[in-house]
Amino acid sequence: MKTSNLRIVRSLREAIGRTPLYRTKYLSKNPSVEIYLKLEFLNPGGSIKDRTALGMIDQAEQDGRLRSNSRIIESSSGNTAIGLAMLAKSSGYHVTAVCDRHLPATKRARLSAFGADTVFLPDTPPGMDTVELRIAIAKHLADAIPDGVSLGQYSDPANPAIHRKTTGPEILDALDGRVTAVIAAVGTCGTISGIGQAMKAYNPAIRIIGVEPIGSIIFGGEDAMYHIQGGGLSFIPSILDRSVIDSGIKVSDASAISAVHLFGKSDGIMVGGTGGLVLKALADLSEQSPDASVLVGIIPDAGDRYLDTLFDSDWLRRHHFSDLTLMPTSGDPLNDTVTDLGCSLNEIPSTRGPALDDLCSRLSVRVPAVVGKFLSASA
């Protein structure tokens, strides 16, 4: 007898999509406004870009652009390349990602684990949009290397098509069509264009709102540096469908990163920087929305991809976001008690701290024999 909704999949392609909508109760500034988050980090490769990778590979196979032993060469801030690499092996493809040197360590590890090669640009300033340069390098390599193919997520119609076919209908189905607005971060603009097309076909009154970091120019403004990876651009991608977008919002790095940290503490979910853009926009929009509105935000990936940036205290200090770090304060009973023991709170200090045997003695904890030998040898 079937007792659950669990499904058996015979390939990772079948596991992509049908991600849950999570209702958060802490984000809305109006209790009568419902906010749902589409948790795209629950795709098998860990991001919404699994869908993009699947859509582009499927279309390229249908068009005859991909064959066994093809090398897919893609400009990526990490997630799309990870999705491509995850799916490539079962079809005999090779993947080469073209990335800048600010690619987070976790994304590098995933690409390596999936057998992908990574081409790193020369050193570039933090916050510089390197996308156009990366695209040019990917095209050059695809032309120069036998069996090289550049799918081009910023210009491939298969990118928005997969969201029109899957992501948008999933939202409508889960909420029985009760959607007031959908908010998505913009980069390639495939997600917002495809979801927007699906929503407007169902109900033209559903609002589609894009959000980008200050410094991105998709919705106008001056080109400037920003630190939110995967969101925003210094040019307008050809697959952007402005006809289905009602408005665009700009959010500062500080506001997005603050939203990421606040959401982790309120809901126990770590999201990436583009998710922070969406969370900030949702919180502000909830305050302006009529009662009984239903808002949906797209969360592209999880925060564990940014442990060495958004969640690293040194990185936050270097980029002047130090107010987001958990710094113990004098007078805090927890901090004072921990310090009195010779331990440290939230950070690992550069000093060794008290002798281990002294701490064990104070707490009446037996020092294991092997540790005792270590202490004797190091004395």
Side-chain angles (χ1 to χ4, degrees), residues 10 26 55-56 70 77 94-95 112 181 195 227 236 258 273 282 287 289 306 332 349:
R10 292 169 177 80
Y26 303 103
M56 293 196 302
S70 287
S77 58
H94 308 283
V95 171
S112 177
I195 291 176
H227 295 288
I236 310 297
S258 176
L282 280 167
E287 197 171 20
S289 298
Y306 308 94
D332 179 347

Side-chain angles (χ1 to χ4, degrees), residues 136-205:
I137 292 173
K139 288 180 178 177
H140 176 82
L141 293 175
D143 291 339
I145 296 173
D147 299 315
V149 179
S150 180
L151 300 179
Q153 60 176 319
Y154 296 88
S155 56
D156 191 340
N159 183 350
I162 193 70
H163 296 289
R164 182 173 63 248
K165 179 182 177 181
T166 65
T167 321
E170 286 172 22
I171 294 169
L172 291 169
D173 182 62
L175 294 171
D176 296 322
R178 295 187 312 114
V179 180
T180 305
V182 178
I183 296 87
V186 293
T188 67
C189 296
T191 298
I192 195 168
S193 295
I195 291 176
Q197 290 161 1
M199 293 292 160
K200 295 295 186 182
Y202 176 79
N203 178 1

Side-chain angles (χ1 to χ4, degrees), residues 10-152:
R10 292 169 177 80
S11 74
L12 287 176
R13 293 185 179 212
E14 296 177 13
I16 294 172
R18 286 189 271 182
T19 54
L21 277 176
Y22 163 70
R23 183 175 180 181
T24 172
K25 298 179 181 179
Y26 303 103
L27 195 61
S28 179
K29 297 180 180 179
N30 179 345
S32 70
V33 172
E34 299 176 31
I35 296 182
Y36 296 88
L37 303 175
K38 185 76 163 155
L39 302 182
E40 287 296 298
F41 55 79
L42 294 177
N43 280 300
S47 84
I48 195 168
K49 293 298 187 173
D50 288 1
R51 296 182 191 256
T52 303
L54 175 62
M56 293 196 302
I57 286 177
D58 280 351
Q59 190 61 54
E61 289 174 342
Q62 293 175 31
D63 296 343
R65 288 182 290 151
L66 285 177
R67 56 188 180 276
S68 182
N69 212 43
S70 287
R71 179 172 292 277
I72 301 171
I73 304 173
E74 187 67 22
S75 163
S76 177
S77 58
N79 285 338
T80 301
I82 289 169
L84 290 169
M86 178 187 71
L87 296 172
K89 291 303 177 182
S90 63
S91 300
Y93 308 140
H94 308 283
V95 171
T96 297
V98 180
C99 307
D100 63 40
R101 296 189 183 190
H102 306 290
L103 183 70
T106 309
K107 291 184 179 181
R108 295 187 197 184
R110 283 217 180 204
L111 287 169
S112 177
F114 294 162
D117 295 312
T118 304
V119 175
F120 289 105
L121 270 58
D123 195 24
T124 55
M128 173 185 169
D129 182 6
T130 62
V131 172
E132 287 184 288
L133 178 57
R134 288 191 272 117
I135 291 173
I137 292 173
K139 288 180 178 177
H140 176 82
L141 293 175
D143 291 339
I145 296 173
D147 299 315
V149 179
S150 180
L151 300 179

Side-chain angles (χ1 to χ4, degrees), residues 90-350:
S90 63
S91 300
Y93 308 140
H94 308 283
V95 171
T96 297
V98 180
C99 307
D100 63 40
R101 296 189 183 190
H102 306 290
L103 183 70
T106 309
K107 291 184 179 181
R108 295 187 197 184
R110 283 217 180 204
L111 287 169
S112 177
F114 294 162
D117 295 312
T118 304
V119 175
F120 289 105
L121 270 58
D123 195 24
T124 55
M128 173 185 169
D129 182 6
T130 62
V131 172
E132 287 184 288
L133 178 57
R134 288 191 272 117
I135 291 173
I137 292 173
K139 288 180 178 177
H140 176 82
L141 293 175
D143 291 339
I145 296 173
D147 299 315
V149 179
S150 180
L151 300 179
Q153 60 176 319
Y154 296 88
S155 56
D156 191 340
N159 183 350
I162 193 70
H163 296 289
R164 182 173 63 248
K165 179 182 177 181
T166 65
T167 321
E170 286 172 22
I171 294 169
L172 291 169
D173 182 62
L175 294 171
D176 296 322
R178 295 187 312 114
V179 180
T180 305
V182 178
I183 296 87
V186 293
T188 67
C189 296
T191 298
I192 195 168
S193 295
I195 291 176
Q197 290 161 1
M199 293 292 160
K200 295 295 186 182
Y202 176 79
N203 178 1
I206 296 174
R207 295 178 63 202
I208 305 299
I209 301 168
V211 56
E212 64 181 337
I214 294 173
S216 169
I217 60 113
I218 295 173
F219 298 122
E222 294 186 5
D223 183 12
M225 293 186 178
Y226 51 88
H227 295 288
I228 300 300
Q229 289 192 340
L233 282 177
S234 59
F235 65 96
I236 310 297
S238 62
I239 58 174
L240 171 63
D241 184 355
R242 289 192 183 276
S243 70
V244 298
I245 300 175
D246 294 283
S247 60
I249 297 172
K250 291 183 180 288
V251 170
S252 69
D253 282 342
S255 293
I257 295 171
S258 176
V260 165
H261 285 260
L262 290 172
F263 189 65
K265 294 175 180 63
S266 66
D267 287 62
I269 299 175
M270 289 175 65
V271 304
T274 48
L277 295 172
V278 170
L279 293 173
K280 171 60 175 170
L282 280 167
D284 291 346
L285 187 62
S286 70
E287 197 171 20
Q288 308 159 13
S289 298
D291 290 351
S293 293
V294 178
L295 309 180
V296 178
I298 311 299
I299 303 298
D301 63 5
D304 57 5
R305 299 201 163 187
Y306 308 94
L307 297 180
D308 55 345
T309 56
L310 302 180
F311 295 91
D312 180 76
S313 58
D314 289 336
W315 185 92
L316 290 168
R317 288 194 197 101
R318 278 199 314 274
H319 294 92
H320 310 293
F321 304 123
S322 57
D323 57 318
L324 299 176
T325 60
L326 286 172
M327 295 298 294
T329 57
S330 178
D332 179 347
L334 175 60
N335 178 58
D336 292 348
T337 305
V338 167
T339 303
D340 182 58
L341 286 172
C343 300
S344 59
L345 182 63
N346 295 326
E347 292 190 335
I348 299 175
S350 56

